[in-house]
Amino acid sequence: MLDHQNAVPTRPRVVIVGAGFGGLTAAKALARSPVEVTVIDRRNYHLFQPLLYQVATAGLSPADIASPIRAILSAQRNTTVLLGRVTGVDPDLKRVLLADRFVPYDYLILATGARHAYFGHDAWEAHAPGLKKIDDATQIRRRLLIAFEQAEAEPDAERRQRLLTFVVIGGGPTGVEMAGAVSEVARHALAKDFRNIDPGTARIVLIEAGPRLLPAFPESLSAIAEQSLRRIGVEVRTGQAVTDVDKEGVVIGNERVDSATMIWAAGVAASPAAKWLGAEADRAGRIKVNPDLSVPDRPEIFAIGDTALVSDGMGRPLPGVAPVAKQQGQYVARLIAARARRARVMIPKFADELRKRNHTRVSGLVARLSLKFADEFQGRDTSDPPAFRYRNLGNLATIGRSSAVVDFGRIRLHGFIAWLLWGAAHVYFLIGFRNRMAVTLDWFWAYLTFQRGVRLITGPEE
């Protein structure tokens, strides 16, 4: 690794922290730019989070929705991948800090994602895990399947009912999709597997503190989603906040719901990136960025995805979804590429040498001529793009078998057609031909047989 203070890089160094949707999109967009890219992530794979709930409910294998970062970027000769956990950023010396080393940068893209937020009740996490990584999904899958196994051997009716009660906290897309999937597991996939219990009698409770499910969708589609969930046996509780969570269940207001399996889908908080920089952030920890997604007073540092607070044309914060992060990654890559092309010829080595000899006027002329040469003879645009503007491509959420809601603005769909669109969109955005084929075949098989093929209880015994 080059020492930042002594080495003279031949091309600008772009460091990307996080290989989620935003970071990976930025890295791929910089493939042919005159920069050296370093991607740092604490895991060696890129995860397609929108389908993580299907791993948690035994519908897909983790390998179906994850791909090694090195394999994805292996064809990019200007890109290096580092496995490591970032502990901080030194913006004055322009370097990213890891546990045992530092990585210098000229441009830094923070795409560090988000973590679970329990609104000041961090102790709840032990009893109601969230869903952000593969380990979360396999842990939830284990709890879900073990609950049915324990209920099969439980002679006490009251304890059996607690084991067969599943609570999902949060009525956004993740919560709605999770509740629908748990219902499918109980009523279809496991329907014939047990002798002493009827999995179809399982109680699935979806709790949303707000007045309706899917608040980012139009009210008409929210109502349709709620009706669809109720039809498949999900008990929907809106306008009611969870006030306590323990190993025996949850408390909703003054009412207690006993449950052995609780899943958190109610909120997220940004990574500590704002603290690393001492930057201004909102209550969720998202950095308040400039219109070009740069951090105030740090034009060489950019924050994207769940790390950044960016508003739409109506002044509302953009949601933490994949399309937002991908468009921001594309935008920042374009901006950095434009600046790198300017810098590539603006200050050649002999102009730098002239400065060292105090020939500042001559070196300035050389720099201007070099920039003119770059603009006129290389034939490439070196101007910064206009301020970032998100193009909303629509919202999608699936409710269960053959049911989904889709909002394309003026076009709103629900039911089977919406479900097909939802599936096609998710398969399209998966990375790798193998993953697309595997997911398509798994879904086709599940649709024909009502089965889920990854009903494996793995992980350490609790």
Side-chain angles (χ1 to χ4, degrees):
M1 183 60 62
L2 292 174
D3 180 87
H4 174 70
Q5 294 179 333
N6 298 321
V8 179
T10 57
R11 299 200 293 182
R13 298 161 297 190
V14 180
V15 174
I16 303 173
V17 181
F21 288 110
L24 192 62
T25 299
K28 293 172 71 175
L30 289 169
R32 298 185 179 182
S33 299
V35 297
E36 295 295 332
V37 180
T38 300
V39 178
I40 306 173
D41 200 289
R42 58 182 178 175
R43 301 182 185 87
N44 76 328
Y45 57 85
H46 167 76
L47 177 64
F48 191 79
Q49 282 192 351
L51 291 180
L52 197 56
Y53 82 96
Q54 294 227 352
V55 175
T57 54
L60 295 173
S61 165
D64 293 338
I65 64 168
S67 298
I69 300 169
R70 293 186 183 278
I72 297 170
L73 300 175
S74 61
Q76 295 188 201
R77 303 189 64 178
N78 69 335
T79 302
T80 301
V81 178
L82 295 180
L83 181 68
R85 182 185 293 270
V86 173
T87 59
V89 174
D90 187 338
D92 295 325
L93 293 180
K94 293 187 177 181
R95 58 188 187 179
V96 175
L97 309 178
L98 283 75
D100 57 349
R101 56 189 151 168
F102 66 84
V103 181
Y105 65 84
D106 296 299
Y107 297 100
L108 173 62
I109 302 175
L110 295 172
T112 45
R115 50 191 167 83
H116 313 307
Y118 289 84
F119 310 114
H121 301 281
D122 292 342
W124 294 359
E125 184 173 8
H127 313 297
L131 193 59
K132 279 294 179 184
K133 54 185 185 293
I134 286 178
D135 292 342
D136 297 333
T138 54
Q139 178 191 18
I140 290 172
R141 184 181 67 188
R142 175 182 175 80
R143 291 189 178 190
L144 179 70
L145 297 177
I146 281 183
F148 287 101
E149 296 290 345
Q150 292 177 339
E152 172 79 354
E154 178 57 62
D156 184 81
E158 185 175 338
R159 292 177 181 174
R160 190 186 309 121
Q161 184 57 55
R162 174 179 170 270
L163 288 166
L164 293 177
T165 298
F166 304 90
V167 176
V168 180
I169 306 167
T174 300
V176 167
E177 292 173 348
M178 177 63 73
V182 172
S183 177
E184 285 189 349
V185 169
R187 286 161 175 75
H188 298 296
L190 303 180
K192 300 179 181 179
D193 289 4
F194 296 90
R195 299 296 176 263
N196 298 325
I197 62 170
D198 177 7
T201 63
R203 181 188 181 193
I204 298 99
V205 183
L206 176 60
I207 305 169
E208 167 57 39
R212 61 187 179 94
L213 302 178
L214 301 175
F217 286 71
E219 289 190 26
S220 59
L221 292 182
S222 294
I224 290 171
E226 181 173 341
Q227 293 169 6
S228 298
L229 286 170
R230 293 187 186 278
R231 276 199 300 269
I232 61 175
V234 177
E235 182 181 328
V236 180
R237 311 282 291 270
T238 56
Q240 303 177 50
V242 171
T243 56
D244 194 18
V245 178
D246 57 39
K247 65 179 181 179
E248 298 296 327
V250 303
V251 177
I252 313 170
N254 296 322
E255 177 189 356
R256 181 171 188 83
V257 177
D258 291 331
S259 171
T261 307
M262 295 152 284
I263 303 164
W264 186 264
V268 296
S271 70
K275 295 180 180 179
W276 296 343
L277 302 174
E280 185 180 2
D282 67 351
R283 294 178 60 183
R286 295 174 295 185
I287 299 173
K288 297 181 179 180
V289 295
N290 294 322
D292 65 353
L293 305 182
S294 66
V295 176
D297 301 322
R298 299 289 180 183
E300 74 283 0
I301 302 178
F302 302 88
I304 63 176
D306 292 329
T307 312
L309 176 64
V310 183
S311 299
D312 61 13
M314 305 296 291
R316 298 168 300 191
L318 293 177
V321 295
V324 172
K326 290 169 72 72
Q327 289 184 35
Q328 290 176 342
Q330 284 277 4
Y331 173 86
V332 170
R334 285 174 51 213
L335 190 151
I336 290 175
R339 294 180 181 178
R341 286 195 293 268
R342 290 203 300 265
R344 188 178 185 182
V345 292
M346 188 170 63
I347 308 177
K349 291 182 179 180
F350 62 89
D352 189 55
E353 185 65 26
L354 288 172
R355 282 198 181 89
K356 292 178 181 178
R357 298 181 182 182
N358 294 321
H359 296 308
T360 56
R361 294 181 64 184
V362 177
S363 64
L365 176 62
V366 170
R368 288 193 295 274
L369 289 175
S370 298
L371 180 58
K372 182 178 179 61
F373 175 86
D375 288 342
E376 294 185 2
F377 292 91
Q378 290 189 359
R380 303 187 68 176
D381 184 15
T382 61
S383 60
D384 287 357
F388 173 76
R389 184 176 180 181
Y390 174 57
R391 182 187 175 192
N392 190 352
L393 301 177
N395 293 320
L396 306 91
T398 183
I399 300 146
R401 179 184 174 86
S402 303
S403 181
V405 289
V406 174
D407 175 27
F408 289 139
R410 295 182 180 179
I411 301 175
R412 300 172 184 176
L413 303 172
H414 62 88
F416 183 71
I417 297 298
W419 181 73
L420 289 177
L421 284 172
W422 174 89
H426 282 69
V427 168
Y428 174 78
F429 284 111
L430 276 169
I431 291 179
F433 176 78
R434 178 205 166 276
N435 286 5
R436 294 189 184 106
M437 286 299 298
V439 169
T440 301
L441 290 174
D442 281 346
W443 282 350
F444 183 68
W445 177 255
Y447 186 81
L448 291 179
T449 65
F450 290 87
Q451 294 298 307
R452 289 179 174 249
V454 199
R455 301 200 302 271
L456 307 177
I457 299 176
T458 59
E461 296 184 5
E462 299 179 0

